[in-house]
């Protein structure tokens, strides 16, 4: 496989998705799930899957454990085909695992059950070669993204990150926000996403994108604002829609598309995730 232009660094996990009529109230009681699915998860796995789905060669750099869940994660990723290369650091102990409580309205509570004992390492020769040869590197929140941040920056690639529900003050998010030129987030952590987006641009980002759920998405660059509506979708599962949007935007950017078209491409790819019970229909 030739060196991919894009490297995605961060979590791949084995998740249990539990669908409820409504999220549990904060009191002792019993609820019955409508259904439950065990499947591949992780924000970086989702981005890599959707880039591969769009025909953009990608390497996923992640960390897994030495447990049965690691084999399930790697098997699911390995079934995608030649467009996705996986470089997985095998650490002693558990693979990342989540329990996600979800509703049809898109509400979610994600409970981390386990995380790997070690992140991906910059001294791995395969990882170092991919970072050095990449034109675009996505650094997702987590130990592996933080561990490889300096190596990615030294390689000279364009750096991208997804801050998710960033509130503008979290210290955990700061290294990613400060290092990356293309910054994505959603509006869950702020009551004033335009102000937060302007602040991120002032801190050095060149493109800031905020997803707004069913209201679409908005982007801010040095040239001003752009926005797009959400695409109509028959929603099966909202898990992974944000990662699909990110991948659609990035894949369009790789072709030289402008910000508005990148937003629309992201919205179209999000529909692919919304129509699948998994992160991507590639896993159906």
């Amino acid at each position: 496989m030739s060196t991919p232009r894009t490297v995605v660094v961060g979590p791949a996990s084995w998740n249990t998705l539990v669908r409820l009529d409504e999220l549990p109230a904060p009191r002792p009681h019993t609820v019955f799930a409508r259904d439950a699915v065990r499947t591949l998860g992780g924000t970086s796995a989702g981005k890599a899957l959707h880039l591969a789905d769009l025909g953009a060669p990608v390497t996923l750099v992640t960390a897994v454990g030495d447990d049965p869940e690691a084999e399930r994660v790697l098997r699911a990723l390995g079934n995608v085909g030649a467009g996705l290369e996986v470089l997985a650091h095998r650490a002693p102990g558990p693979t990342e695992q989540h329990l996600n409580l979800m509703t049809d309205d898109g509400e979610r509570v994600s409970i981390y059950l386990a995380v790997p004992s070690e992140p991906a390492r910059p001294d791995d020769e395969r990882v170092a070669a991919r970072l050095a040869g990449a034109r675009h590197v996505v650094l997702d929140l987590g130990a592996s993204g933080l561990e490889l941040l300096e190596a990615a920056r030294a390689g000279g690639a364009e750096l991208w990150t997804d801050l998710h529900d960033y509130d503008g003050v979290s210290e955990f998010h700061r290294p990613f926000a400060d290092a990356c030129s293309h910054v994505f987030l959603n509006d869950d952590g702020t009551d004033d996403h335009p102000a937060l987006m302007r602040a991120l641009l002032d801190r050095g980002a060149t493109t800031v994108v905020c997803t707004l759920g069913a209201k679409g998405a908005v982007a801010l660059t040095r040239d001003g604002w752009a926005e797009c509506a959400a695409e109509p979708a028959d929603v099966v599962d909202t898990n992974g829609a944000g990662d699909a949007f990110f991948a659609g935007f990035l894949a369009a950017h790789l072709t030289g598309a402008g910000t508005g078209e990148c937003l629309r491409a992201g919205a179209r790819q999000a529909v692919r995730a919304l129509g699948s019970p998994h992160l991507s229909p590639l896993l159906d």
Side-chain angles (χ1 to χ4, degrees):
M1 180 179 179
S2 61
T3 301
R5 295 173 59 194
T6 303
V7 175
V8 179
V9 180
S13 60
W14 193 251
N15 292 355
T16 301
L17 312 181
V18 179
R19 189 171 306 282
L20 304 170
D21 291 324
E22 59 183 13
L23 294 180
R27 57 179 175 78
H29 67 295
T30 299
V31 298
F32 288 87
R34 287 170 47 195
D35 61 62
V37 176
R38 292 175 176 84
T39 184
L40 179 69
T43 187
S44 301
K47 293 178 178 70
L49 286 168
H50 282 278
L51 285 168
D53 187 36
L54 288 159
V58 58
T59 292
L60 172 64
V61 177
T62 191
V64 297
D66 58 3
D67 52 359
E69 286 75 19
E71 303 307 322
R72 296 184 180 107
V73 166
L74 296 177
R75 188 181 308 116
L77 290 168
N79 288 337
V80 170
L84 171 59
E85 177 187 47
V86 180
L87 301 181
H89 175 68
R90 301 296 297 265
T95 296
E96 185 164 320
Q97 297 164 57
H98 306 171
L99 170 63
N100 290 350
L101 308 180
M102 307 174 66
T103 73
D104 288 342
D105 293 331
E107 299 171 303
R108 181 175 71 173
V109 174
S110 186
I111 303 169
Y112 279 61
L113 304 178
V115 296
S117 61
E118 299 171 358
R121 300 180 60 87
D123 57 1
D124 183 313
E125 292 183 359
R126 302 170 305 159
V127 172
R130 289 305 190 219
L131 291 176
R135 293 184 58 187
H136 302 82
V137 176
V138 178
L139 296 166
D140 272 320
L141 300 177
S144 291
L146 193 60
E147 185 74 14
L148 297 180
L149 190 155
E150 289 305 324
R153 182 153 46 190
E158 190 175 75
L159 302 185
W160 297 55
T161 193
D162 184 352
L163 301 182
H164 296 277
D165 57 351
Y166 182 48
D167 59 5
V169 297
S170 167
E171 288 299 320
F172 175 71
H173 296 71
R174 182 175 294 277
F176 299 90
D178 289 344
C180 297
S181 61
H182 289 66
V183 177
F184 285 63
L185 69 158
N186 59 51
D187 65 343
D188 292 344
T190 177
D191 294 326
D192 190 354
H193 67 270
L196 179 52
M197 294 172 71
R198 285 191 291 266
L200 288 164
L201 203 71
D202 290 342
R203 283 165 57 178
T206 60
T207 299
V208 182
V209 178
C210 185
T211 55
L212 309 172
K215 294 179 289 185
V218 61
L220 177 63
T221 70
R222 302 296 179 191
D223 295 326
W225 294 90
E227 59 184 305
C228 77
E231 292 282 332
D234 295 324
V235 178
V236 174
D237 188 297
T238 59
N239 198 51
D243 298 322
F245 178 93
F246 186 111
F249 188 106
L250 174 52
H253 175 80
L254 295 177
T255 69
T259 303
E261 179 51 39
C262 288
L263 285 172
R264 291 186 288 273
R268 290 192 296 270
Q269 190 64 21
V271 174
R272 294 274 289 160
L274 291 169
S276 170
H278 304 286
L279 279 179
S280 161
L282 294 180
L283 301 176
D284 290 354

